[in-house]
Amino acid sequence: MNYRHAYHAGNFADVLKHTVLTLIIEYLKRKEKPFRVIDTHAGTGLYDLSSDEAQRTGEWRGGIGLVRDAELSDAERNIISHLLDSIKAVNTGHELNHYPGSPVIARHLLRKQDRLTAIELHPEDVEKLRTVFEGDYQTRVIELDGWLALGAHLPPKEKRGLVLVDPPFEKEGEFGRLFDGLTKAHRRWPGGIYALWYPIKNLKEVAAFRTALSDSGIPDILDVTLEVAPVHPDGKMSATGMIIVNPPYLLQEQLKLILPAFARILGERGKGRSSIRRLAEEHRPAS
Ligand SMILES: C[S@@+](CC[C@H](N)C(=O)[O-])C[C@H]1O[C@@H](n2cnc3c(N)ncnc32)[C@H](O)[C@@H]1O
């Protein structure tokens, strides 16, 4: 396990992923009933943007750095307000010194009846996570293979919630693990909301992944993408996607508004693009 998210925290892919995360959690909060967020590849939870790693790539400057300072319409700003609030909560004043990872963003948005399970396999990262959430009775940090959690930890006792799957894509076969993990999880908990992150570099692999999802028999799948520069299989990642299973009904409309804004703000030399498509329709009861 060589992947270190500290190099990438706050980049354009995090902006998309964490916006989707916040919108789903806010939707879940529309009902009083408790829910659980399960983050299968949680990372360290909090990233110091002045660290060597973050400074070396400077990726956050071309991601959250641009979005935070961009001119946005009220409607656009409203959609990212929960992400901006979560960022504000880990910084003092207007300086952007820290960026929150997915478990810290999720935790920031939970109410007292909601719960978070943060799973991480890297021993150093899990130690950092434990420190971040020390004494927090609403959060369980578990050192475990996130792919196993998709079996063992589902469904959660709350029977409502979100599973975020954000693997590192450092080893061959990650699209296969993502697909198998989702199908296994969905069999155990068809009513859960799933948000899966993926990189767009190898277009053939991405196309095969989408086809497999469309043919899987799993209903109600949304696929959203954000491209900040033309895709080169051997170059650095310039496009990313999220698969959302059982998306909240408001999500597509919210993303329709914010994704073009992200493409406008984050696209290099005006080359930003975004897309939203359905890979599978909702099951409608036969009439
Ligand atoms: C992309 S990062 C996660 C970033 C985090 N979700 C966020 O948005 O802030 C992927 C993480 O998965 C961890 N990891 C790698 N293999 C894993 C596995 N099999 N199970 C759980 N975590 C794993 C890595 O150590 C790394 O911290």
Side-chain angles (χ1 to χ4, degrees), residues 19-51:
T19 299
V20 168
L21 172 68
T22 59
L23 293 174
I24 295 174
I25 293 177
E26 286 304 310
Y27 170 81
L28 285 164
K29 284 160 70 176
R30 291 178 155 230
K31 282 195 187 149
E32 267 311 300
K33 278 172 73 180
F35 61 83
R36 181 174 296 262
V37 176
I38 300 176
D39 191 342
T40 61
H41 295 71
T44 63
L46 193 60
Y47 300 92
D48 178 355
L49 297 178
S50 65
S51 68

Side-chain angles (χ1 to χ4, degrees), residues 1-5 8-9 14 17-18 21 39-47 99-105 119-123 125 142 144-148 164-171 174 177 197:
M1 283 196 299
N2 295 318
Y3 179 90
R4 315 278 60 212
H5 197 62
H8 311 292
D14 265 8
K17 180 201 310 170
H18 294 156
L21 172 68
D39 191 342
T40 61
H41 295 71
T44 63
L46 193 60
Y47 300 92
Y99 184 77
S102 51
V104 166
I105 293 171
I119 294 157
E120 170 59 51
L121 191 57
H122 195 293
D125 289 3
I142 308 177
L144 181 70
D145 184 335
W147 302 117
L148 293 180
L164 174 68
V165 189
D166 181 21
F169 276 86
E170 63 179 347
K171 277 194 298 195
E174 203 81 316
R177 279 185 286 281
W197 180 84

Side-chain angles (χ1 to χ4, degrees), residues 213-263:
L213 287 168
S214 295
D215 294 347
S216 67
I218 297 174
D220 207 4
I221 308 180
L222 203 61
D223 177 25
V224 302
T225 70
L226 175 64
E227 184 178 307
V228 296
V231 173
H232 287 293
D234 304 321
K236 71 175 175 68
M237 182 183 68
S238 63
T240 177
M242 293 286 292
I243 298 292
I244 303 117
V245 178
N246 296 325
Y249 74 99
L250 287 174
L251 186 68
Q252 191 162 339
E253 286 309 308
Q254 292 169 318
L255 292 176
K256 243 188 218 165
L257 234 162
I258 201 65
L259 287 184
F262 286 162

Side-chain angles (χ1 to χ4, degrees), residues 40-250:
T40 61
H41 295 71
T44 63
L46 193 60
Y47 300 92
D48 178 355
L49 297 178
S50 65
S51 68
D52 279 355
E53 293 94 329
Q55 287 293 328
R56 204 168 313 162
T57 62
E59 285 187 20
W60 64 273
R61 292 179 204 281
I64 194 61
L66 289 177
V67 169
R68 214 177 65 129
D69 296 335
E71 282 206 13
L72 293 164
S73 70
D74 288 348
E76 291 165 347
R77 189 160 288 281
N78 196 28
I79 290 174
I80 59 163
S81 61
H82 309 291
L83 176 58
L84 296 180
D85 279 353
S86 311
I87 296 169
K88 216 185 256 174
V90 297
N91 285 284
T92 40
H94 189 70
E95 289 278 293
L96 189 55
N97 294 316
H98 293 95
Y99 184 77
S102 51
V104 166
I105 293 171
R107 178 65 187 90
H108 178 71
L109 299 177
L110 297 190
R111 305 160 301 181
K112 65 177 186 324
Q113 65 265 46
D114 308 318
R115 296 290 180 269
L116 167 68
T117 303
I119 294 157
E120 170 59 51
L121 191 57
H122 195 293
E124 282 171 24
D125 289 3
V126 91
E127 264 328 295
K128 288 187 182 157
L129 258 189
R130 287 206 170 106
T131 309
V132 168
F133 290 111
E134 202 174 344
D136 177 5
Y137 73 96
Q138 287 181 249
T139 302
R140 235 182 118 196
V141 174
I142 308 177
E143 183 171 0
L144 181 70
D145 184 335
W147 302 117
L148 293 180
L150 287 174
H153 287 259
L154 298 183
K157 75 170 190 312
E158 293 79 7
K159 299 277 163 53
R160 296 181 72 220
L162 163 69
V163 182
L164 174 68
V165 189
D166 181 21
F169 276 86
E170 63 179 347
K171 277 194 298 195
E172 287 285 303
E174 203 81 316
F175 277 111
R177 279 185 286 281
L178 203 46
F179 177 77
D180 292 345
L182 173 67
T183 48
K184 181 172 69 175
H186 191 268
R187 264 197 305 274
R188 292 180 68 102
W189 189 28
I193 301 174
Y194 298 87
L196 318 182
W197 180 84
Y198 67 94
I200 302 178
K201 282 189 82 171
N202 181 327
L203 294 175
K204 255 192 180 163
E205 271 189 350
V206 171
F209 177 57
R210 289 180 180 142
T211 304
L213 287 168
S214 295
D215 294 347
S216 67
I218 297 174
D220 207 4
I221 308 180
L222 203 61
D223 177 25
V224 302
T225 70
L226 175 64
E227 184 178 307
V228 296
V231 173
H232 287 293
D234 304 321
K236 71 175 175 68
M237 182 183 68
S238 63
T240 177
M242 293 286 292
I243 298 292
I244 303 117
V245 178
N246 296 325
Y249 74 99
L250 287 174

